[in-house]
Amino acid sequence: MAKYIKDVFSDYTVDNHLIDAEIKNVNLYKKTNKLQISILSSKPIALADMESFENYAIKRFKVAKVMIDIEYQNVEMEQNIEKEWQNIVNYIAKKEPFSRAILNGSQIEIKEKELIVSLGTKGADFLLSKKFDKGLEHLLLNLYSQNYKVNFVEKLEENYREKFEESVKKQEQEFVKQLQEEANRQSLERQHEESLKAQEKEIEAAISGEEPEE
């Protein structure tokens, strides 16, 4: 009997094409804390739908990583990589933040089944060493049901170093901003908890007829 995402993961209530996919296989790799799910879909699955389910599964099952393998059945796929490229970069950068400075501003060119990624800064060797080409090939197969060969090419501008340093500085500033926002949020939560405790003491004192402690 076929099992589907919407049935097995009934608490995942997002309405998208992915919930109608049939589950072919599920593996949990305890050593790497990774969950791998193979599915069969008769509908095209968008990048946002994949990301939504991955985020859900990471929180739901307390795993470090979720990998989805998608097989399509009688589906016509729109090959709109150029249109979606920046969304793809954002998706990759969320998983591997250090890649953002390299991939931001990159341009792509498709020649038959080859995807050429032109980088505006150095970093091709680094991406290859981390097997970003293979990861991107797998992602494109999931999104477009097409095997692409990914190649990274460095096309450096004269002032690429200044732009790279500016990008890194901007990311550092954004990181500091996020830390500050998180610290402020935690401070407000502590203040709220202290206020609730004080209210509880006042209520208890009022019920018992005692003066509340200062």
Side-chain angles (χ1 to χ4, degrees):
M1 182 177 177
K3 296 181 179 180
Y4 298 88
I5 292 287
K6 61 186 176 184
D7 299 323
V8 175
F9 304 99
S10 57
D11 57 336
Y12 179 67
T13 57
V14 179
D15 185 15
N16 58 38
H17 287 174
L18 192 143
I19 64 172
D20 294 319
E22 179 184 346
I23 298 175
K24 304 297 291 183
N25 193 29
V26 177
N27 288 310
L28 176 61
Y29 299 94
K30 293 183 179 180
K31 288 186 177 180
T32 56
N33 197 24
K34 181 178 76 174
L35 181 67
Q36 185 174 23
I37 303 175
S38 299
I39 61 177
L40 177 65
S41 179
S42 59
K43 301 176 182 178
I45 295 177
L47 180 62
D49 298 342
M50 281 181 54
E51 185 174 11
S52 170
F53 183 78
E54 288 171 355
N55 291 339
Y56 151 80
I58 288 172
K59 293 179 181 178
R60 175 70 172 76
F61 301 103
K62 304 294 189 295
V63 292
K65 184 177 182 181
V66 173
M67 178 176 287
I68 301 175
D69 297 320
I70 305 175
E71 178 185 347
Y72 289 100
Q73 188 174 43
N74 302 322
V75 182
E76 288 189 12
M77 311 295 294
E78 181 183 0
Q79 304 294 311
N80 60 346
I81 303 176
E82 294 93 340
K83 180 181 177 181
E84 287 292 307
W85 180 243
Q86 189 55 52
N87 290 331
I88 291 173
V89 169
N90 292 338
Y91 171 83
I92 294 172
K94 287 177 183 177
K95 293 179 175 294
E96 305 290 353
F98 53 79
S99 68
R100 185 181 295 277
I102 301 175
L103 291 174
N104 264 355
S106 59
Q107 303 292 325
I108 63 170
E109 180 182 2
I110 300 174
K111 292 183 178 180
E112 295 183 354
K113 294 184 179 181
E114 180 185 16
L115 178 72
I116 302 171
V117 183
S118 297
L119 307 174
T121 183
K122 286 186 176 294
D125 289 342
F126 175 81
L127 294 177
L128 291 173
S129 70
K130 298 295 184 180
K131 297 183 178 180
F132 268 72
D133 53 334
K134 302 303 179 185
L136 185 51
E137 288 169 4
H138 179 264
L139 177 60
L140 295 176
L141 180 61
N142 274 344
L143 294 176
Y144 302 106
S145 190
Q146 176 69 59
N147 286 301
Y148 286 98
K149 172 65 176 175
V150 173
N151 286 310
F152 297 111
V153 178
E154 295 174 354
K155 291 188 177 181
L156 308 182
E157 300 178 6
E158 291 183 1
N159 61 338
Y160 85 91
R161 184 178 295 279
E162 289 81 358
K163 288 188 175 181
F164 178 76
E165 291 176 350
E166 182 180 347
S167 177
V168 171
K169 184 178 180 181
K170 185 176 180 181
Q171 290 182 59
E172 290 175 345
Q173 291 173 342
E174 183 65 26
F175 181 68
V176 171
K177 181 181 177 182
Q178 291 176 359
L179 289 178
Q180 291 174 339
E181 290 175 348
E182 179 63 19
N184 291 338
R185 184 188 66 80
Q186 292 180 2
S187 176
L188 289 174
E189 287 182 352
R190 286 194 297 270
Q191 292 177 17
H192 181 63
E193 290 175 359
E194 291 173 357
S195 176
L196 288 176
K197 289 179 181 178
Q199 289 177 348
E200 289 175 358
K201 287 183 179 181
E202 290 181 4
I203 293 171
E204 290 174 356
I207 293 174
S208 65
E210 297 177 355
E211 290 294 329
E213 296 180 3
E214 294 295 335

